Amino acid sequence: MRRITRIATVGIASAALALSATACGGKNSSDSASSTETGQKSAAIAYDIGGRGDQSFNDAAYAGLEKAEKELQVKGAEAEPTEGESEADKVQRLTELARKGHNPVIGVGFAYGAAIEKVAPKFPKTTFGLIDDASKTGPNIANMVFNEEQGSYLAGVAAAKASKTGTVGFIGGVEIPLIKKFEAGFTQGVKDTNPNAKVLSTYLSQPPDMSGFAKPDLGKAAAKGQLDNGADVIYAAAGLAGSGAIEAAATAGKWAIGVDSDQYNQAGLAKYKDKILTSVTKDVSGSVYNLIKSVQDGSPQSGEIRYGLDKNGVGLADSNPEYKNMAELQAAVEKAKADIIAKKINVKTAP
């Protein structure tokens, strides 16, 4: 697998995270032969802020590409973002990937929406995947979207059950509608479980500043503030910055709830795993793999492809043995899951 560009350096919460984020290597675009030159089928993903090694969203996308390489004999290519890049940079990145013959070309995150809308019509035979955005459509665009609010509701139930202080925290990377879905579901789950509970909410940056997804020190500081105000369970939906929140909560001996990937199993967070109660998972890896497979099968996906609790597209991880030992908490989560699927609970998408 080749990486097309190298990500700009960002702050990492710990040496372990820094090693994980940089040990993957890198290739310049000139090093990568096109699929038309090699004759091998190929697929490409363009990463969101934080890049591969974020222990979360981008790493989940990479897992899907890696699976496709192993099971479908597809050659994978990766393209990293640069810090503070422009829309034109994204357009250029996607254009380069499409010109090299990669199919599909997948933009990891809503930030690629405008760029895919511009580039996709120029390459009608190439399928473009857009994760977390259903607003940019076209005949060769597959919109891979998730019911994040549903998984976050389950996290709220778990947080309310695990909390001893009655105060829990939510940390969002950037205050945008997508992350508001996480907050809305989490808060509703907490309140439906314990009406007297208090939810502290903090956002790390405001658009157009997207640095709240990339700076662990911001997540760490926000979590410390919430811990000082009595929170004993903290849920962060903040990409790479969430690792800082996990570090702060674990160091204080309190519970953290991860996001996107099962963060209990992320090597870069191994030092803190015992205090990662659970994670709200999104089957980003499955969505990437499914899109690649559909293209290879000759029936490429297009339009909105939604992943919710009913399809296990979102969920709550149970890797931590401590979570598995909490019978009352697990029962409450399972009941909530069943009620959401049965539409007995309507989860809000905005606070």
Side-chain angles (χ1 to χ4, degrees):
M1 185 180 295
R2 294 181 183 270
R3 302 185 85 173
I4 306 301
T5 56
R6 190 183 297 272
I7 188 170
T9 302
V10 295
I12 305 296
S14 67
L17 282 174
L19 178 62
S20 173
T22 58
C24 303
K27 295 288 184 181
N28 294 323
S29 59
S30 59
D31 294 331
S32 297
S34 71
S35 62
T36 54
E37 292 171 345
T38 64
Q40 183 180 11
K41 293 180 178 179
S42 63
I45 54 177
Y47 291 118
D48 199 0
I49 296 169
R52 174 142 71 92
D54 69 350
Q55 316 295 320
S56 184
F57 185 53
N58 289 297
D59 282 1
Y62 169 70
L65 181 62
E66 187 177 39
K67 180 181 178 182
E69 281 197 306
K70 293 177 180 177
E71 297 185 7
L72 305 176
Q73 288 72 57
V74 172
K75 182 180 179 181
E78 306 164 77
E80 295 276 11
T82 55
E83 192 170 6
E85 67 182 19
S86 67
E87 196 65 47
D89 293 323
K90 293 183 176 64
V91 169
Q92 181 179 2
R93 182 176 305 124
L94 297 176
T95 299
E96 180 181 4
L97 292 173
R99 280 178 177 165
K100 285 182 175 292
H102 301 301
N103 189 19
V105 173
I106 302 171
V108 183
F110 66 89
Y112 282 98
I116 283 180
E117 188 176 39
K118 291 179 181 178
V119 177
K122 299 177 182 178
F123 298 91
K125 294 183 179 180
T126 300
T127 293
F128 289 83
L130 177 56
I131 300 176
D132 283 349
D133 186 349
S135 68
K136 310 301 183 184
T137 61
N140 59 331
I141 298 175
N143 305 91
M144 302 129 81
V145 292
F146 301 82
N147 291 118
E148 294 92 353
E149 73 282 359
Q150 295 180 348
S152 296
Y153 183 99
L154 301 186
V157 173
K161 286 292 185 180
S163 177
K164 295 180 180 179
T165 65
T167 298
V168 301
F170 172 80
I171 296 174
V174 183
E175 193 167 4
I176 53 175
L178 174 64
I179 305 304
K180 288 291 215 180
K181 289 173 64 180
F182 288 88
E183 180 190 4
F186 180 70
T187 299
Q188 186 180 347
V190 170
K191 293 292 188 178
D192 284 357
T193 305
N194 178 8
N196 296 319
K198 184 177 181 181
V199 180
L200 307 176
S201 293
T202 305
Y203 283 89
L204 304 181
S205 68
Q206 298 290 324
D209 177 7
M210 296 292 168
S211 64
F213 289 128
K215 297 182 178 179
D217 58 326
L218 294 181
K220 185 176 181 179
K224 283 184 175 180
Q226 293 184 346
L227 292 165
D228 289 344
N229 283 298
D232 60 352
V233 184
I234 294 178
Y235 171 40
L240 180 61
S243 62
I246 289 173
E247 178 186 355
T251 301
K254 307 302 181 183
W255 288 119
I257 295 177
V259 76
D260 292 339
S261 297
D262 183 353
Q263 297 197 291
Y264 179 87
N265 290 323
Q266 291 294 320
L269 295 169
K271 183 177 179 180
Y272 313 112
K273 64 188 295 182
D274 290 346
K275 299 308 295 183
I276 300 176
L277 176 64
T278 181
S279 296
V280 175
T281 57
K282 290 170 59 174
D283 194 15
V284 174
S285 61
S287 72
V288 168
Y289 176 84
N290 291 341
L291 182 60
I292 295 171
K293 187 175 188 302
S294 76
V295 172
Q296 302 311 312
D297 289 345
S299 300
Q301 294 176 330
S302 63
E304 182 178 304
I305 306 154
R306 182 164 293 279
Y307 294 86
L309 275 179
D310 57 340
K311 297 178 181 177
N312 293 317
V314 296
L316 213 57
D318 63 356
S319 298
N320 192 330
E322 287 299 312
Y323 178 91
K324 294 178 180 177
N325 289 334
M326 299 178 181
E328 183 180 341
L329 182 154
Q330 285 189 86
V333 168
E334 288 303 313
K335 183 179 185 304
K337 178 179 178 179
D339 286 347
I340 292 171
I341 293 173
K343 299 183 179 179
K344 294 180 181 178
I345 295 176
N346 181 32
V347 185
K348 299 176 182 177
T349 56

